[in-house]
Amino acid sequence: MKNNIKVERAIKGLTQEELANKVSVSRQTINAMEANKYVPSTVLALKIAKLFNKPVEEVFILEKTD
């Protein structure tokens, strides 16, 4: 699964640390998601999408291999 977290975070002017604090995870978790090394839980994906005021499908994109 791909994601647009880094782009959306930049649009909002948030650091990884600030985003992590807002959704109650570590900065390392945000970093791993941005690097496509970690797939978030449904709850975390929904929290992030809500924070960016976007549908979850605009932040997280399923690939054909998913």
Side-chain angles (χ1 to χ4, degrees):
M1 178 166 60
K2 289 185 176 184
N3 68 69
N4 295 322
I5 295 172
K6 189 172 185 175
V7 172
E8 295 296 335
R9 186 171 56 75
I11 290 168
K12 290 275 191 189
L14 295 171
T15 64
Q16 287 183 342
E17 186 74 32
E18 290 167 333
L19 176 58
N21 289 336
K22 288 180 182 291
V23 295
S24 303
V25 297
S26 69
R27 184 202 56 79
Q28 290 85 352
T29 298
I30 300 299
N31 186 50
M33 284 190 290
E34 287 183 358
N36 294 315
K37 294 181 179 178
Y38 175 76
V39 176
S41 69
T42 305
V43 171
L44 180 54
L46 289 168
K47 282 182 179 181
I48 292 169
K50 184 176 182 177
L51 181 77
F52 293 145
N53 200 29
K54 301 270 183 170
V56 73
E57 297 88 354
E58 285 186 25
V59 181
F60 298 94
I61 302 102
L62 283 175
E63 297 182 282
K64 290 182 181 182
T65 56
D66 290 337

